[in-house]
Amino acid sequence: MDGAELTYVILRLVLGAAAAFCSILVWSKTRDTACVLLVLGTIFSYIETVYYILAMFGMTAAPPSLAGGISAIAIFISSLPEAFYISAFLVMLAGKYGR
């Protein structure tokens, strides 16, 4: 691993941890459904980052892969943050414009 790649990994871990920490602080202050979904999306985004880095170092078990050699776990973990973000925005839209 060269210096640029190491910088990328460290930056991604540090910023992801800061975002997850701040989102947990927000979670403790609010119980709004849309906000909680955004927090969960941020936390799962950090989990995706950690999983990606562990996989990059070869520290994850090799689960059965789907077509194209991508594991089902990687697809599931990488799609969770976007699913939570979509849900949060739909809840916001339903709350603001659904009345």
Side-chain angles (χ1 to χ4, degrees):
M1 177 180 299
D2 62 351
E5 202 170 18
L6 183 62
T7 302
Y8 171 72
V9 166
I10 290 171
L11 189 64
R12 203 165 162 187
L13 279 173
V14 169
L15 293 177
F21 178 74
C22 290
S23 69
I24 291 171
L25 289 178
V26 167
W27 193 353
S28 67
K29 302 288 182 198
T30 184
R31 294 291 179 237
D32 180 40
T33 305
C35 190
V36 170
L37 289 169
L38 285 173
V39 167
L40 288 172
T42 304
I43 291 170
F44 278 103
S45 179
Y46 185 65
I47 291 171
E48 176 195 7
T49 298
V50 171
Y51 182 80
Y52 168 77
I53 292 169
L54 288 175
M56 192 169 68
F57 287 123
M59 300 175 113
T60 57
S65 61
L66 300 174
I70 301 173
S71 72
I73 294 173
I75 292 172
F76 180 72
I77 288 175
S78 66
S79 63
L80 269 179
E82 283 78 14
F84 279 116
Y85 293 144
I86 290 167
S87 300
F89 294 132
L90 289 175
V91 167
M92 284 182 198
L93 282 172
K96 182 168 182 134
Y97 300 110
R99 295 178 192 157

